Amino acid sequence: MKKNKNQEHISIQNIIAKGTKIVGDFFSEGDLRVDGIIEGNIQTPGKVVVGKDGQISGKLSCSNAYFEGKLNGTIELTGTLTLKSTAYIEGDVVTEKLAVEPGATFNVTCEMKSSVKDINGKSKQQKTA
């Protein structure tokens, strides 16, 4: 049963097409592709792909992100942030892994962690004070 539920999660994909603008927070249970503009926060346990024409202004919380487009804001990932040569990122980044192609603009404060806040905003314990 778990396998079927996992396969169902993979098949869910939302696409914000070029020429589309969303103002407000966006929540999804599946993956997301952004070729339009989102002004607000994005939260998903899945993967987010931002195409060359895609733009995000706000906070992005997801597992993995692949950027060819732009983001101005905050990124919190539990996996890998991949920046292609056309990517333009400004703000704050918290990620586990980072891959940057030459030519990408990466003007951020970056923190590399093995565990970050989960998608629901609950902190995993890293240190005991």
Side-chain angles (χ1 to χ4, degrees):
M1 287 276 176
K2 277 190 173 184
K3 191 173 184 180
N4 292 338
K5 196 173 190 178
N6 216 10
Q7 288 173 344
E8 182 180 317
H9 166 73
I10 292 170
S11 68
I12 300 170
Q13 184 176 24
N14 297 286
I15 299 173
I16 308 302
K18 185 176 178 178
T20 302
K21 181 177 181 179
I22 294 177
V23 178
D25 294 342
F26 188 89
F27 300 93
S28 174
E29 290 296 319
D31 296 342
L32 173 65
R33 178 169 178 98
V34 179
D35 289 310
I37 299 170
I38 297 180
E39 292 179 1
N41 301 319
I42 300 170
Q43 189 172 332
T44 178
K47 178 181 179 179
V48 174
V49 175
V50 180
K52 286 184 182 179
D53 297 315
Q55 296 180 31
I56 299 172
S57 295
K59 181 178 178 180
L60 172 61
S61 299
C62 60
S63 60
N64 296 299
Y66 179 95
F67 273 86
E68 292 180 327
K70 298 179 181 180
L71 179 130
N72 191 336
T74 303
I75 303 174
E76 285 188 6
L77 303 180
T78 56
T80 303
L81 173 60
T82 303
L83 304 178
K84 302 308 279 181
S85 62
T86 56
Y88 183 91
I89 310 295
E90 281 195 351
D92 299 310
V93 173
V94 178
T95 187
E96 188 172 309
K97 297 176 186 171
L98 178 64
V100 182
E101 274 190 5
T105 301
F106 192 59
N107 295 326
V108 302
T109 300
C110 185
E111 188 174 342
M112 305 291 287
K113 292 186 175 183
S114 60
S115 64
V116 294
K117 289 183 181 179
D118 69 14
I119 299 301
N120 296 322
K122 297 176 185 172
S123 293
K124 295 180 181 179
Q125 287 187 341
Q126 294 179 348
K127 296 180 182 177
T128 306

